Amino acid sequence: QVQLVESGGGLVQAGGSLRLSCAASGLTFRSYVMGWFRQAPGKEREFVATVNYSDEGTTYADSVKGRFTVSRDNAKNTAYLQMNSLKPDDSAVYYCAAGRALAATAPWKYNFWGQGTQVTVSS
């Protein structure tokens, strides 16, 4: 049984920072690309960032480039999303996903998903 569990969401003021974690179990972690997506009320699920099987390559949405950093620790079966300089527009439910396609930005390319964690950025 594959399980992805996000943590680290919460309330933060604009300009602040937050680090999300995604703990994976039930899969060979290093064999999967890890992605982060977010979904705000009334909007489609949006690509945020992805990291390859190790930290050799990352891809970011233009909206978060330079502010967010995606990483992974294969020894801990955990992916991370470090979010700095947060803006109110970053408010959303953030989802961790695991898939096999490198640098995939489309949600359908990912096989497994976490339950999501709420991030709210106040003005």
Side-chain angles (χ1 to χ4, degrees), residues 3-112:
Q3 188 174 26
L4 304 177
V5 180
E6 301 97 333
S7 62
L11 297 169
V12 64
Q13 292 186 336
S17 297
L18 215 55
R19 188 178 78 156
L20 306 183
S21 298
C22 174
S25 61
L27 78 171
T28 303
F29 185 71
R30 68 169 292 111
S31 297
Y32 284 84
V33 171
M34 300 300 297
W36 288 94
F37 293 78
R38 65 188 184 187
Q39 189 166 25
K43 294 185 177 181
E44 296 288 326
R45 188 161 296 189
E46 175 189 21
F47 168 75
V48 176
T50 185
V51 58
N52 293 343
Y53 305 121
S54 64
D55 285 316
E56 78 273 13
T58 56
T59 304
Y60 297 92
D62 288 341
S63 59
V64 307
K65 198 171 299 180
R67 299 188 297 120
F68 290 11
T69 302
V70 62
S71 62
R72 65 191 296 159
D73 187 339
N74 287 341
K76 296 182 177 180
N77 286 1
T78 302
Y80 304 94
L81 185 68
Q82 177 67 46
M83 305 183 293
N84 298 326
S85 301
L86 283 162
K87 306 173 181 180
D89 285 348
D90 294 320
S91 297
V93 176
Y94 282 71
Y95 297 91
C96 173
R100 296 294 186 89
L102 293 173
T105 61
W108 64 267
K109 289 184 176 288
Y110 290 85
N111 304 103
F112 307 107

